[in-house]
């Protein structure tokens, strides 16, 4: 799930560009590209040296869906590169992300649900499952920003965009039911409330951005057929994401202040940075498209929070790397 680092860095970059901070946005985009390159090498090395561990992770309900961060990272980078005018590279990244999404979308659920390891699955359902929905919505965001090579491809592009948005939305509902059932039946301890639960908000926020992108696409049959439905859900999703915001912050205070769970750097913190950045981008996008100054103002405030969180988590990563090198 470490590609959440790329997701978090990339989405904060996109938000900063929307806010006019182009130099900072370009710097973060470059860091996201660098992180993606390093992580790709590390993932390939891990596959070569620890293949059985990776297969075990793919069967584990607590870790398997973290692999979808690869898809979302490809899409977030693609959108960032679209904004910088690198349309061809963006299209290639989206193609890679889509191919991985298709494979993982069928293989990982089968591994988790069918290749049982003898332990109950529902008790190990967690916030990382929402990354499956995020990956699908991220493709919708990227595809909606592509310029079709010819009018003949516009209808296909519209179909794929609406398909990705729809699958991501339905997956969110199903995963939310499972996570709620897990909490109701088995409860959740402060240590179990990991940063990945923030993805529940991020998945709604990215559905807003994807829906707005779909709604703004050129008229083609599939987009026209879904335009009314998508337009009606965007505000609903944003409102529910806003409602979750203080809920998740409160849960964090419950975890770290009341129950004294140490707040130290862990890779899953990037799964908190991405939803914060995604909510900011969704608010900025919705506020500008629908001419809602209050919503746009919430987006600006959210972007400040997201950038602050990114800085803190990045500092934690830097400190961890320095300590690792020193201890080695």
């Amino acid at each position: 799930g470490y590609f959440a680092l790329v997701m978090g860095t990339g989405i904060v970059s996109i938000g900063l560009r929307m806010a006019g901070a182009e130099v900072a946005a370009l710097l973060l985009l470059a860091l996201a590209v660098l992180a993606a390159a390093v992580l790709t090498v590390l993932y390939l090395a891990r596959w070569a040296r620890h293949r059985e561990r990776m297969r075990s992770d793919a069967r584990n309900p607590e870790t398997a869906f973290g692999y979808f961060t690869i898809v979302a990272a490809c899409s977030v980078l693609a959108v960032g590169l679209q904004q910088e005018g690198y349309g061809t590279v963006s299209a290639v990244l989206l193609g890679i992300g889509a191919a991985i999404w298709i494979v993982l979308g069928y293989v990982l659920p089968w591994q988790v649900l069918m290749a049982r390891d003898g332990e109950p699955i529902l008790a190990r359902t967690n916030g990382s499952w929402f990354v499956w929905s995020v990956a699908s919505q991220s493709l919708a965001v990227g595809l909606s920003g592509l310029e079709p090579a010819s009018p003949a491809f516009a209808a296909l592009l519209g179909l794929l965009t609406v398909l990705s948005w729809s699958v991501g939305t339905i997956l969110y509902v199903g995963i939310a039911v499972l996570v709620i059932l897990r909490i109701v039946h088995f409860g959740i301890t402060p240590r179990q409330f990991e940063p990945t639960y923030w993805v529940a908000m991020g998945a709604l926020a990215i559905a807003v951005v994807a829906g707005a992108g779909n709604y703004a696409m050129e008229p083609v049959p599939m987009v026209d057929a879904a335009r009314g439905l998508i337009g009606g859900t965007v505000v609903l999703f944003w409102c529910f994401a806003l409602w979750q915001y203080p809920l998740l912050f409160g849960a964090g205070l419950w975890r770290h202040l009341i129950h004294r769970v140490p707040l130290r750097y862990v890779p899953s913190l990037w799964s908190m940075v991405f939803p914060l950045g995604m909510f900011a981008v969704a608010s900025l996008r919705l506020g500008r498209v629908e001419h809602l100054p209050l919503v746009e103002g919430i987006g600006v405030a959210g972007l400040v929070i997201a950038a602050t969180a990114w800085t803190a988590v990045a500092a934690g990563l830097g400190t961890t790397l320095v300590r690792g090198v020193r201890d080695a």
Side-chain angles (χ1 to χ4, degrees):
Y2 227 122
F3 270 92
L5 162 62
V6 180
M7 295 165 58
T9 304
I11 197 60
V12 173
S13 169
I14 292 169
L16 289 172
R17 196 177 193 283
M18 293 178 68
E22 296 188 3
V23 175
L26 188 59
L27 174 61
L28 285 189
L29 181 61
L31 287 175
V33 171
L34 176 62
V38 172
L39 286 170
T40 298
V41 173
L42 292 177
Y43 267 56
L44 292 174
R46 187 168 189 250
W47 173 253
R49 299 182 60 182
H50 306 285
R51 195 165 301 180
E52 288 304 316
R53 286 284 301 276
M54 293 189 75
R55 287 174 177 167
S56 176
D57 287 342
R59 296 188 182 98
N60 185 346
E62 296 180 88
T63 58
F65 293 94
Y67 283 115
F68 280 105
T69 59
I70 302 171
V71 178
C74 286
S75 300
V76 170
L77 284 181
V79 173
L81 291 170
Q82 283 175 5
Q83 292 181 337
E84 299 297 334
Y86 296 97
T88 302
V89 179
S90 173
V92 171
L93 277 173
L94 284 171
I96 294 171
I100 297 173
W101 175 71
I102 291 171
V103 174
L104 295 184
Y106 290 104
V107 172
L108 286 186
W110 182 273
Q111 290 290 316
V112 170
L113 299 174
M114 301 301 179
R116 302 298 183 96
D117 59 5
E119 297 184 26
I121 290 177
L122 187 60
R124 293 182 290 165
T125 305
N126 58 39
S128 68
W129 285 44
F130 286 106
V131 184
W132 189 8
S133 171
V134 168
S136 184
Q137 297 285 10
S138 70
L139 288 175
V141 175
L143 291 170
S144 67
L146 287 180
E147 293 290 338
S150 70
F153 291 109
L156 176 61
L157 183 62
L159 171 63
L160 294 176
T161 304
V162 173
L163 171 68
S164 300
W165 180 87
S166 302
V167 170
T169 300
I170 299 300
L171 286 175
Y172 183 91
V173 174
I175 293 166
V177 170
L178 291 175
V179 171
I180 292 171
L181 285 174
R182 175 260 164 93
I183 295 173
V184 169
H185 282 278
F186 299 98
I188 184 169
T189 66
R191 288 193 176 274
Q192 289 173 333
F193 186 79
E194 297 181 344
T196 53
Y197 280 96
W198 278 84
V199 185
M201 184 191 75
L204 285 170
I206 197 171
V208 172
V209 177
N214 286 356
Y215 194 83
M217 289 181 72
E218 293 297 322
V220 292
M222 181 58 80
V223 173
D224 290 341
R227 201 183 301 272
L229 171 64
I230 293 173
T233 60
V234 165
V235 174
L236 178 67
F237 289 162
W238 182 85
C239 289
F240 193 49
L242 177 63
W243 177 82
Q244 288 186 8
Y245 209 109
L247 178 68
L248 291 164
F249 262 113
L253 295 176
W254 169 75
R255 169 181 162 90
H256 296 294
L257 292 184
I258 297 178
H259 290 280
R260 306 292 183 180
V261 176
L263 180 58
R264 59 170 65 96
Y265 176 79
V266 289
S268 59
L269 281 172
W270 292 108
S271 296
M272 182 183 72
V273 174
F274 173 76
L276 291 171
M278 196 72 247
F279 179 78
V281 170
S283 301
L284 291 170
R285 181 78 180 268
L286 181 63
R288 293 173 183 178
V289 169
E290 299 295 339
H291 308 290
L292 301 169
L294 178 58
V295 174
E296 186 176 354
I298 291 173
V300 173
L303 183 59
V304 173
I305 294 172
T308 303
W310 182 90
T311 303
V313 177
L317 172 60
T319 302
T320 300
L321 291 175
V322 169
R323 287 175 178 170
V325 171
R326 184 183 61 196
D327 294 343

